Amino acid sequence: MKKYILYIAILISYSLNAQEIYKRTLKLMGSRFDISVVANNAVEGNTYINLAVDEISRIEKLISSWDPNSQTSIIIRNAGIKPTKVSPELFELIRRSLALSTLTDGAFDISYASMDNIWKFDGSLKTMPSKEAIKSSVSKVGYQNIILDKENLTVFLKLKGMKIGFGAIGKGYAADKAKQLLISKGVVAGIINASGDMNTWGKQPNGDDWKVAITNPLNKNNAFALLPIKNGAVVTSGNYEKYVIFNGKRYTHIIDPRTGYPSTGITSVTVFAPKAELADALATSVFVMGTEVGINRINQLPNIECIIIDDKGEIHTSKHININKL
């Protein structure tokens, strides 16, 4: 089997038609966002992009744990004390997050934020953390301890010191909301790319579908396969740089919230789904679940596909994915 690492890029064909693609790159939610829209002129294109930026900034304020005034921060401050009343939007995001935790057997868990930061991937960690320290690091993690009251729209973290975070779902959710807003404003096509969490709709001005290129890392200028994306999302999680090696075993920065141990065996996971929120959460989950369990779980879900590159460079795919080799 040929060995490749998966690299994702959106291939854009520019058109001489009246409509063109207008793009802006900026930093939002602590990450790089590339926002592309199909519009009639630069003024219209920039207006649409501004709307997307405002919506993403609104989502950031809602879910940020760094902003002491955000609803998320208030939930965390009241952990083990009392329930916090939240907006219907945040309540539903947390409710869907808990459903994803159930679906993935806890591989995805927004209470991962409660983990003690004992793993360092900046070169400073010289010895393997002890079993006791690892076990203690996840003592406050557990989605079962997030209590929702639908009637009163409250969220309660049962354990004092417990936290929630949306690092594995927030950018995808923001991309979905920006896409939804732009469609409602009449934007016929575009891409919201949140640091690899890509959400597309419509077609390019020349009528072509947006396409994802899979390239050979030994020659990144030559793609070996193309996959069209039609009104959907693609998210890639990778651990090419952040890892440590102990006793010949590679431990990555994506940590299993159930055990406190870093994931092993996988280098890259790419998930295709109708929404970026779902693709975002599942990409991280598959890393934690491993190749066999991850592929099996994806195969049980409708309209979801994935490509996994293991740590030997071998490619594994879900059963319905259609890779068009070049």
Side-chain angles (χ1 to χ4, degrees):
M1 183 178 293
K2 290 184 178 180
K3 296 183 178 180
Y4 294 103
I5 295 179
L6 191 66
Y7 291 85
I8 292 297
I10 288 289
L11 300 187
I12 298 176
S13 298
Y14 287 88
S15 171
L16 296 177
N17 297 336
Q19 290 191 317
E20 295 184 19
I21 298 170
Y22 297 90
K23 179 180 176 181
R24 190 185 306 167
T25 298
L26 63 166
K27 189 172 184 179
L28 296 165
M29 303 180 75
S31 301
R32 171 176 167 155
F33 272 70
D34 297 289
I35 302 172
S36 303
V37 297
V38 173
N40 294 310
N41 53 63
V43 172
E44 185 179 83
N46 282 320
T47 299
Y48 289 148
I49 290 173
N50 288 339
L51 288 173
V53 170
D54 289 344
E55 179 67 354
I56 293 165
S57 298
R58 184 187 70 81
I59 298 298
E60 181 176 19
K61 290 178 181 177
L62 181 70
I63 66 176
S64 173
S65 58
W66 300 104
D67 180 356
N69 298 314
S70 74
Q71 293 181 34
T72 299
S73 292
I74 297 171
I75 292 171
I76 293 170
R77 283 202 298 274
N78 285 322
I81 301 171
K82 64 180 181 179
T84 299
K85 189 171 182 64
V86 298
S87 67
E89 181 179 11
L90 183 59
F91 185 91
E92 283 302 307
L93 178 60
I94 295 173
R95 184 192 61 78
R96 292 194 303 274
S97 296
L98 297 187
L100 282 166
S101 294
T102 301
L103 177 69
T104 61
D105 302 322
F108 173 83
D109 191 334
I110 58 172
S111 71
Y112 80 92
S114 308
M115 281 192 289
D116 293 334
N117 190 21
I118 61 170
W119 293 93
K120 307 288 185 182
F121 299 94
D122 57 3
S124 63
L125 188 64
K126 302 302 181 184
T127 58
M128 181 94 167
S130 68
K131 291 181 180 179
E132 294 76 16
I134 293 171
K135 182 178 180 180
S136 176
S137 73
V138 293
S139 62
K140 291 183 174 65
V141 176
Y143 68 94
Q144 301 90 340
N145 292 317
I146 302 174
I147 309 302
L148 302 184
D149 183 335
K150 187 175 183 180
E151 184 176 342
N152 295 306
L153 289 180
T154 62
V155 180
F156 180 51
L157 309 182
K158 287 176 64 175
L159 307 178
K160 215 157 190 187
M162 193 175 175
K163 300 175 183 177
I164 57 173
F166 298 95
I169 197 172
K171 290 196 300 293
Y173 176 62
D176 286 338
K177 292 294 288 184
K179 169 184 171 179
Q180 181 183 335
L181 175 63
L182 292 180
I183 290 174
S184 75
K185 298 298 182 181
V187 182
V188 295
I191 305 167
I192 309 293
N193 179 1
S195 294
D197 294 12
M198 296 180 187
N199 209 338
T200 72
W201 72 99
K203 293 178 180 288
Q204 299 185 56
N206 64 1
D208 288 349
D209 291 324
W210 306 108
K211 294 181 178 68
V212 169
I214 305 174
T215 66
N216 181 346
L218 299 178
N219 187 353
K220 298 177 185 178
N221 294 320
N222 291 330
F224 77 86
L226 291 176
L227 292 97
I229 309 176
K230 300 178 181 179
N231 296 316
V234 55
V235 171
T236 296
S237 288
N239 61 6
Y240 319 115
E241 299 175 352
K242 295 182 180 180
Y243 62 90
V244 292
I245 297 176
F246 293 122
N247 300 320
K249 191 170 184 178
R250 192 169 181 263
Y251 296 89
T252 77
H253 74 285
I254 299 176
I255 298 175
D256 188 337
R258 302 165 298 187
T259 66
Y261 282 86
S263 59
T264 60
I266 293 177
T267 300
S268 168
V269 176
T270 298
V271 173
F272 299 81
K275 291 190 173 184
E277 172 189 313
L278 181 58
D280 199 357
L282 288 176
T284 303
S285 302
V286 170
F287 244 108
V288 171
M289 291 187 284
T291 301
E292 185 176 348
V293 174
I295 290 284
N296 180 61
R297 192 60 50 90
I298 293 295
N299 282 336
Q300 296 175 44
L301 301 175
N303 304 314
I304 311 289
E305 302 297 339
C306 77
I307 301 172
I308 297 174
I309 310 296
D310 67 22
D311 57 5
K312 297 176 182 176
E314 295 181 347
I315 300 173
H316 309 262
T317 68
S318 53
K319 61 185 178 183
H320 296 302
I321 201 163
N322 182 25
I323 297 180
N324 298 316
K325 294 289 182 68
L326 296 177

